[in-house]
Amino acid sequence: MAQRAQSVLATKDVFQKGDFHWKQFNVETSSASSSTPKPLLIFTPIVPGSYPVILFCHGFFIHNSFYSEFLGHIALHGFILVAPQLA
């Protein structure tokens, strides 16, 4: 596990594509009594393991989906990203 963390956090050219394949989850509000009041976007590597988590707080009144390409690029480098819809 420590070796994986070192490879994830190793200095690398962040403008190049990373080595991890990722998938995206959309967590939508299902009802008025739902515990998730706003939609979430979650990007995670597809290989099971322990990864650092980033809570991405985007600009107010902007849809979190506008950042999908950017968040996917970060996930390529071995991070889990959670992007709540703020407004």
Side-chain angles (χ1 to χ4, degrees):
M1 183 163 87
Q3 184 178 11
R4 179 181 288 281
Q6 285 179 339
S7 67
V8 168
L9 300 175
T11 303
K12 188 172 184 174
D13 185 356
V14 297
F15 297 105
Q16 299 299 318
K17 286 190 174 183
D19 300 328
F20 295 86
H21 295 284
W22 58 271
K23 59 186 170 183
Q24 174 183 339
F25 295 98
N26 296 321
V27 180
E28 299 290 334
T29 303
S30 59
S31 68
S33 64
S34 175
S35 63
T36 306
K38 297 287 185 176
L40 294 174
L41 287 180
I42 301 172
F43 294 77
T44 182
I46 60 172
V47 176
S50 296
Y51 299 99
V53 177
I54 297 173
L55 176 62
F56 182 76
C57 296
H58 58 85
F60 205 63
F61 290 117
I62 297 175
H63 292 282
N64 54 1
S65 61
F66 290 174
Y67 294 96
S68 291
E69 188 173 337
F70 174 66
L71 298 174
H73 180 80
I74 296 171
L76 284 172
H77 291 276
F79 292 89
I80 296 173
L81 292 106
V82 179
Q85 180 61 50
L86 297 178

